[in-house]
Amino acid sequence: MTAGEIRQKLGIESRGSFLERAWRRGVVRRLDDGRFAPADFHVRFESWALFEGWQDLPDEIKDRLNGWEMDYYTERHRGTVASLKAGQPRPSNDACPEYLLLEEVGRLFARIEHFYLWPCNCRAMVRGCTQPQLTCIRFSNARGIGWEISRERALSIVKEANRQGLMQSAELAVDSQGRLDGALCNCCNDCCFPHQLARVLDAEKIWPLSRYLAKLSPEPCNGCGRCVRRCPFGAISQAKKKGMPPPPPVIEANLCRGCGVCATGCPQEAICMETIRESLLETYYT
């Protein structure tokens, strides 16, 4: 419908503010010919869950909606996951999550023009942990509902999230002008939709893409066990014995995703990250 048809049908005299607000809230979408149509449910759901009435719902209804959203997310990406598992390349305009180390985040942010802070929709919806929610850094903001922040502020948020034990995962694509678009997420393993998908589709090394493997340098390790506590996937263990000095931890390569949280939390700098594959958009990190 055109804006005039919508105003007439609803008996609204305002020329712009009503439809502008409906567009910003994900209720409607603009078509190329200037008309409006209902937005996709999942676009509306994200806006509503983050900024509107989510907290008023009973937990049972929240769980049902989250299940619906997870099913949609899984089916939307099932083909891409299967392609990546088969070793196929993906188009540069298809945003796929991949783990980034902190130094890579700095190099990535140097190429981004705008930064918008959003709540983490995964933690806001799933409520599976107590980690902070105001941690999602998006690089575009078509509907104008994120908070624009500086590059320095964005990087400080990421560093603090890493200190809290959150993993850095980028979802990047290249737009029609050849610019990077997408987001930098600070993820937990309890709520994160990509990590849930990985469990459903048996794609733990693929979604988000594992690009590194944690390696222990036993010489400087003091056996503090902090890496064991920080690893989100239980990939690091330590067989302590009463009355004995703590031994160096053991890293199980088949469980390690290469997120780097163990390395950044090691006070002895006794863990290094070994490269096992390039980024899906490797030219943007060099």
Side-chain angles (χ1 to χ4, degrees):
M1 302 174 72
T2 66
E5 289 171 336
I6 294 173
R7 288 197 300 271
Q8 182 180 15
K9 192 171 186 65
L10 298 180
I12 296 171
E13 296 182 2
S14 170
R15 288 190 171 272
S17 60
F18 171 80
L19 280 174
E20 179 70 18
R21 184 166 183 262
W23 172 71
R24 286 167 60 91
R25 295 170 60 212
V27 178
V28 298
R29 58 190 173 95
R30 292 188 175 112
L31 303 180
D32 292 339
D33 62 6
R35 293 182 301 164
F36 292 85
D40 181 275
F41 167 81
H42 301 278
V43 173
R44 173 66 185 131
F45 180 47
E46 178 185 61
S47 177
W48 182 78
L50 289 178
F51 302 109
E52 299 181 37
W54 182 248
Q55 298 302 328
D56 299 329
L57 288 181
D59 286 346
E60 177 189 356
I61 302 301
K62 290 179 181 176
D63 292 341
R64 290 171 63 186
L65 283 168
N66 282 333
W68 188 6
E69 184 73 7
M70 187 64 215
D71 289 344
Y72 166 79
Y73 179 80
T74 301
E75 292 309 311
R76 177 183 171 192
H77 295 294
R78 184 183 295 274
T80 304
V81 171
S83 177
L84 291 174
K85 288 174 73 172
Q88 300 296 318
R90 57 95 168 180
S92 63
N93 61 351
D94 186 7
C96 303
E98 57 183 53
Y99 296 111
L100 296 190
L101 303 183
L102 271 183
E103 58 266 27
E104 290 182 306
V105 174
R107 296 201 299 274
L108 170 65
F109 278 13
R111 293 174 175 263
I112 302 298
E113 295 182 10
H114 299 283
F115 302 84
Y116 301 92
L117 179 62
W118 280 55
C120 171
N121 59 314
C122 299
R123 279 193 288 280
M125 295 176 185
V126 177
R127 318 170 320 280
C129 72
T130 59
Q131 288 279 19
Q133 293 185 10
L134 204 57
T135 57
C136 187
I137 311 293
R138 304 195 185 194
F139 306 144
S140 60
N141 196 27
R143 287 185 288 121
I145 53 178
W147 299 276
E148 186 163 12
I149 59 176
S150 67
R151 179 177 287 105
E152 292 74 20
R153 175 61 178 152
L155 192 55
S156 71
I157 289 171
V158 173
K159 289 179 178 178
E160 175 58 21
N162 183 278
R163 192 185 71 82
Q164 296 283 348
L166 294 174
M167 302 169 276
Q168 284 60 61
S169 173
E171 296 193 12
L172 302 174
V174 181
D175 67 16
S176 57
Q177 276 101 40
R179 298 172 302 193
L180 272 180
D181 195 9
L184 190 285
C185 302
N186 293 285
C187 302
C188 64
N189 192 31
D190 303 291
C191 310
C192 176
F193 273 59
H195 288 94
Q196 292 187 63
L197 179 146
R199 291 189 283 270
V200 170
L201 298 184
D202 190 26
E204 281 81 0
K205 294 278 191 175
I206 297 296
W207 200 271
L209 183 72
S210 294
R211 300 171 46 234
Y212 294 93
L213 188 64
K215 294 284 189 178
L216 186 68
S217 302
E219 188 64 31
C221 176
N222 64 4
C224 70
R226 193 170 185 217
C227 57
V228 179
R229 297 187 294 273
R230 277 175 66 86
C231 179
F233 306 108
I236 308 178
S237 59
Q238 188 178 30
K240 292 184 177 180
K241 294 183 179 180
K242 188 175 181 180
M244 300 289 290
V250 175
I251 301 174
E252 295 187 48
N254 63 314
L255 297 179
C256 175
R257 307 279 185 89
C259 68
V261 170
C262 58
T264 55
C266 178
Q268 302 294 110
E269 298 184 355
I271 297 177
C272 62
M273 303 304 297
E274 179 183 273
T275 303
I276 56 175
R277 61 168 62 91
E278 295 298 327
S279 163
L280 292 172
L281 289 173
E282 62 273 5
T283 57
Y284 289 90
Y285 297 138
T286 58

